[in-house]
Amino acid sequence: MAAPIADVSGLHPNLVTEISSMVEEFVTDLKRGRLGAGTGEESNSLSTSAAVQMIAIMGKIVELFQEYEEKSDSQTVQLLRSGCSAKDVASNQVLRLLQLVTMAGDAMLRSQFCVLLLMNVTRRILSILREAADRSRAQESDLEKEAKTILDDVGYDEEDTPVNSPHSSSTTELSPSPVTRKEGGLQRSGKRGFSVKFAERLDEHNYSAPTMQKELTPASPLMKRTSSAIAGQMVLKRAPSKRAHSDDDGNSFPVLASKFYEEAQGGIADFREEVEGMTNELCKRACRQLHSSDTIITMGCTNTTRRYLVEAAAARVAFRVIILEGAPSNPSAVENLAKELRAYNIDVQVLPDSSTFVVMSVSTKVLVAAESVLANGGMLAAVGTHMLCVAARHSAVPVLVATTTLKMSPYYPNDQLCTRLVRIARTGAQEMPWSTYGSTESILPLSHGVSVGDGGKGFVVHSPVTEYVPPELVTLYASNDTEFMPSQIHRFVRANYNDFD
């Protein structure tokens, strides 16, 4: 049985309880549809609402972690009292925060909603924390002064011995170096030693950062890792890279705690504001891509494509639109989109999916949305998108994908059919759950609540909801930031995600 989080990383039990409660509330709200997208033109999609809520939780986790680390019985204070160097204690504090954020992010995957998107949010938060740590680095003299201030604030007695609190005694093995106390502050002798048991349980080559798929150690039933229960998942396991890394790569954070937390909270707040306005920024660029001479084919109706088309129509761009039903998606959403566009005097036709090749010859652009954009320039999109893109390529019609940068993921397919996903990282690929199937009731409704499976005696109904579209079928990605060619996606991914995460 896995040990509690508190026994692994020295977290206060009350902190774990509070975080578990927030995670469980987030998962419950998603599963019960409480994070509604709204109905107004400025409303965000459910995925964006979930991302914003997740970022808010991450910000609260950082705030709570800082609060508990300032208490007299925190692991940070106990390490300082034990004589560990201020540099090692600061690094330990940042590493434990990275691990905590990773665990919380992985626990939120229990919602089984937009797995790659939620993983992207967690990795972006980890990247923000690393950037904050880089901006908060300090000299050892400054770290020692801050350590002395911390001990003075909590009340330090020279006769004190290391305190073994319930949430630190089982986690920390200290080999303290002799520390002499002088008027100028804390001064260390030449020899020092420091080890934390929870860190030793991680990758023997390099802790790097808490990766998204590290084995979780639940503090309560609310913080369990349940990604293996995701329906239709595809999993890739690969051994860690044997490439040598220096000890300081992604593992040393000699930071001033006060500055680090200030930088981290500022970065998270900026990230949340960016995500909240991503769809608005994307739709403002619609007029650059859609023109009055265009005949646009789209499939189904997502929040992104709806707002993208409506924004262009509101700007008096008199294009024509052919909407394919995108069965078995909600037909009422397609009809509502057609009515909304007709209100702007846009010529709209709603046709079945089987008309794709027939009408492609009269179109000038194909507009689709992506569930996730992969690092190789391909994308995971709603079923039927691949067929539409193949028809567009046959007729030499450009394919425009309207998406936000948050959906650009550091994963790429390991083969042409995308049967598995591989993460771009120095330490190799990790387990990657990929949900590809939805409810079978959209294909074959159950009569009187009787399962068509019938314990293996009946027949099996597959209801795929996501499929892979290779990069050669995509012409351009229109995002809230700029326009990307498929070959440019990997550059954006590497610039916004840390290899260690």
Side-chain angles (χ1 to χ4, degrees):
M1 180 180 295
I5 291 179
D7 289 343
V8 175
S9 53
L11 300 177
H12 196 287
N14 293 341
L15 172 61
V16 175
T17 301
E18 291 190 51
I19 295 175
S20 298
S21 177
M22 290 189 294
V23 169
E24 185 65 20
E25 183 179 359
F26 173 82
V27 172
T28 302
D29 287 347
L30 266 181
K31 288 186 174 181
R32 297 185 179 181
R34 294 174 182 170
L35 296 179
T39 57
E41 290 188 4
E42 300 300 321
S43 62
N44 283 320
S45 64
L46 179 58
S47 59
T48 301
S49 300
V52 171
Q53 181 65 21
M54 188 174 182
I55 296 170
I57 292 175
M58 293 300 187
K60 184 64 176 177
I61 289 175
V62 175
E63 180 182 342
L64 289 173
F65 183 83
Q66 178 186 9
E67 177 183 334
Y68 278 93
E69 285 301 300
E70 293 174 350
K71 294 181 179 295
S72 60
D73 60 345
S74 68
Q75 187 180 96
T76 295
V77 174
Q78 303 310 319
L79 295 180
L80 291 175
R81 285 178 174 177
S82 300
C84 294
S85 69
K87 178 181 178 181
D88 289 336
V89 173
S91 294
N92 170 59
Q93 186 174 172
V94 177
L95 287 172
R96 288 189 296 118
L97 176 58
L98 292 174
Q99 185 187 35
L100 179 60
V101 168
T102 302
M103 290 178 176
D106 203 4
M108 293 183 198
L109 298 182
R110 291 193 294 111
S111 63
Q112 301 183 13
F113 173 81
C114 290
V115 172
L116 279 176
L117 179 72
L118 298 186
M119 293 172 72
N120 289 347
V121 172
T122 302
R123 285 198 170 93
R124 287 289 297 274
I125 295 295
L126 292 173
S127 180
I128 289 171
L129 294 178
R130 287 181 176 277
E131 291 173 0
D134 288 337
R135 292 192 295 267
S136 306
R137 292 180 179 269
Q139 300 295 326
E140 289 197 28
S141 58
D142 296 328
L143 296 175
E144 297 289 358
K145 290 179 182 178
E146 184 180 59
K148 182 178 182 301
T149 301
I150 292 174
L151 292 178
D152 290 341
D153 289 342
V154 299
Y156 181 83
D157 186 353
E158 293 187 6
E159 301 298 328
D160 283 349
T161 58
V163 179
N164 295 323
S165 62
H167 57 279
S168 61
S169 60
S170 61
T171 64
T172 311
E173 290 182 353
L174 300 175
S175 302
S177 59
V179 179
T180 57
R181 177 173 293 275
K182 295 186 177 182
E183 295 182 359
L186 292 177
Q187 294 187 1
R188 297 180 292 101
S189 62
K191 182 179 179 181
R192 66 182 180 186
F194 172 71
S195 64
V196 180
K197 186 178 293 184
F198 83 86
E200 295 173 356
R201 300 180 186 178
L202 302 179
D203 196 319
E204 61 180 356
H205 299 286
N206 181 16
Y207 174 73
S208 302
T211 58
M212 289 293 300
Q213 301 299 328
K214 288 289 185 184
E215 183 68 26
L216 289 188
T217 52
S220 71
L222 307 184
M223 293 286 284
K224 291 182 179 178
R225 181 178 186 267
T226 57
S227 60
S228 59
I230 297 176
Q233 71 172 3
M234 296 183 180
V235 176
L236 171 69
K237 294 183 179 179
R238 175 178 292 184
S241 172
K242 301 300 183 181
R243 202 181 314 175
H245 307 293
S246 64
D247 293 338
D248 291 337
D249 283 351
N251 199 32
S252 178
F253 301 98
V255 302
L256 291 175
S258 56
K259 184 178 179 181
F260 166 70
Y261 288 116
E262 181 181 354
E263 293 281 351
Q265 290 289 10
I268 293 175
D270 292 341
F271 180 43
R272 179 178 179 179
E273 183 179 355
E274 177 188 356
V275 172
E276 288 176 336
M278 275 185 175
T279 306
N280 288 337
E281 292 297 322
L282 166 64
C283 294
K284 288 179 181 179
R285 298 174 177 269
C287 299
R288 303 181 186 181
Q289 300 296 335
L290 307 183
H291 310 287
S292 297
S293 59
D294 283 335
T295 298
I296 302 164
I297 295 183
T298 187
M299 177 174 285
C301 177
T302 66
N303 182 77
T304 301
T305 56
R306 181 189 70 82
R307 291 185 58 183
Y308 198 82
L309 291 171
V310 169
E311 185 74 20
R316 306 302 179 185
V317 180
F319 49 82
R320 295 178 61 234
V321 179
I322 298 174
I323 306 177
L324 303 177
E325 291 177 339
S329 62
N330 187 4
S332 61
V334 174
E335 292 295 337
N336 291 337
L337 173 60
K339 291 179 182 178
E340 197 169 2
L341 291 174
R342 287 175 183 138
Y344 291 98
N345 297 321
I346 300 297
D347 184 7
V348 181
Q349 288 181 285
V350 179
L351 300 175
D353 298 342
S354 57
S355 304
T356 300
F357 272 93
V358 177
V359 298
M360 189 62 69
S361 60
V362 300
S363 68
T364 59
K365 281 189 179 73
V366 170
L367 176 67
V368 294
E371 179 179 304
S372 182
V373 180
L374 303 181
N376 70 325
M379 65 176 176
L380 302 177
V383 167
T385 305
H386 184 271
M387 174 197 67
L388 180 61
C389 293
V390 168
R393 183 180 184 181
H394 179 78
S395 301
V397 176
V399 175
L400 177 66
V401 181
T403 186
T404 59
T405 54
L406 187 61
K407 294 183 179 181
M408 296 180 181
S409 174
Y411 281 88
Y412 64 93
N414 77 318
D415 55 47
Q416 190 172 4
L417 298 177
C418 191
T419 58
R420 292 176 292 181
L421 299 180
V422 181
R423 182 171 65 88
I424 296 178
R426 299 182 190 177
T427 55
Q430 306 295 331
E431 292 185 10
M432 176 55 219
W434 172 25
S435 180
T436 59
Y437 294 99
S439 173
T440 59
E441 292 187 10
S442 60
I443 302 296
L444 184 65
L446 302 181
S447 59
H448 308 291
V450 178
S451 173
V452 297
D454 193 22
K457 298 179 181 180
F459 54 89
V460 178
V461 178
H462 295 284
S463 177
V465 295
T466 303
E467 64 183 359
Y468 173 65
V469 180
E472 57 266 22
L473 298 182
V474 178
T475 306
L476 192 69
Y477 287 100
S479 73
N480 53 287
D481 186 17
T482 184
E483 287 75 29
F484 294 93
M485 299 288 288
S487 60
Q488 297 173 323
I489 298 298
H490 76 97
R491 298 180 183 177
F492 177 86
V493 168
R494 290 196 178 277
N496 288 271
Y497 297 94
N498 194 290
D499 283 342
F500 291 110
D501 300 326

